[in-house]
Amino acid sequence: MGLLRHFSRDIGIDLGTANTVVYVSGHGIVLQEPSVVAIDKRDKTVYAVGLEANKMIGRTPEDIEAVRPLRDGVIADFGAAEMMLRSFIKRVKKGIFNPHIAIGIPSGVTDVERRAVMEAARKAGASEVFLIDEPLAAAIGAGLPVAEATGNMIVDIGGGTTEVAVMSLQGIVKSESVRVAGNELSEAIQTYMKRVHNLAVGDRTSEEIKIKIGSAYPGDEDNTAMEVRGLHLLSGLPRTVTIKAGEIRESMEEPLSVIVEAVKRTLEKTPPELAADIIERGIVLAGGGALLKGIDTLLAHETGIVTHIAPAPLNCVVLGAGRVLEDYKNLSRVLTKLSMVS
């Protein structure tokens, strides 16, 4: 491909359903903000992006709309995604002209969805756009030896998708992508609060519950309590209820079981030699979902294979994308460059 490598022109992006993280070669992670855009509906212009826009969710007047451009790891609103990417890239590319950009995307997306991501990045100012499957990016960012002839297994639990993959020699041998991840865990909590406590809570509250007392495996903390405020469905008035960690764990059992089954199915399809490597090396967890208490214990219990949480699991994908560009000579096989749509 003959690319001239230049540290200051390389940008790695983890374009996530919940958060977008940007890595600039030679500088590390320079931006990490929610994937949210607030749009002024009167003239279709950007009102706010990222952290500022996220604060507006559920609090905007009629003429302003706060939206998440990505759903289940892919672009659902192309216009909003392009505006968001353009804003983020503009913030970080001061002094960077015609950057090379590598973007991590779910392995299960279609060619149309891949092309939409590349188009958005190209219109945001990239000279060349490359895509890297999130499992590969996460594995590289987690420090796994993906270039060697040995089996590596990673489970990347993001906001919209969970990516399960077995890799060897810079390629994915077996993988599965399920559109069940952090968002579905939060939605399960919301559903439980309505069904059991007749309390309607918002996205931010359910996320807070998940972070503070959520867990994936029974433990001594099951009796930890938390006060939750919301709208009582029967009276229509604000109300506070007390919930326990054990009931929140039970509320997430269904989406957690989908993730566990995806891991089991991938293991069942893995060639014996690579399976032996995985048993020896273990499974590695990445993504925001890896921070859910007990998720490593749950997977180890269900598979019989020791499970590790990657260092800095939230940043594995973007670190991997950045490192591939920095070590293009040795890792270029993991990148995809599609012909752009004219």
Side-chain angles (χ1 to χ4, degrees), residues 3 16 60 65 75 87 94 108 138 150 206 223-224 259 270 272 279:
L3 281 180
T60 58
E65 182 182 19
I75 293 178
S87 175
K94 293 176 182 178
T150 184
S206 61
N223 288 322
T224 302
I259 295 171
T270 300
I279 291 171

Side-chain angles (χ1 to χ4, degrees), residues 182-210 228 231 233 243 248 251-252:
N183 290 348
E184 283 68 28
L185 295 175
S186 297
E187 289 170 8
I189 293 172
Q190 288 178 302
T191 301
Y192 176 85
M193 294 302 294
K194 285 181 181 179
R195 179 171 54 85
V196 176
H197 295 283
N198 291 313
L199 196 75
V201 298
D203 295 342
R204 293 165 69 94
T205 300
S206 61
E207 184 75 9
E208 183 182 1
I209 294 170
K210 181 176 67 178
V228 177
L231 192 66
L233 296 175
I243 57 175
I248 295 304
S251 75
M252 298 188 292

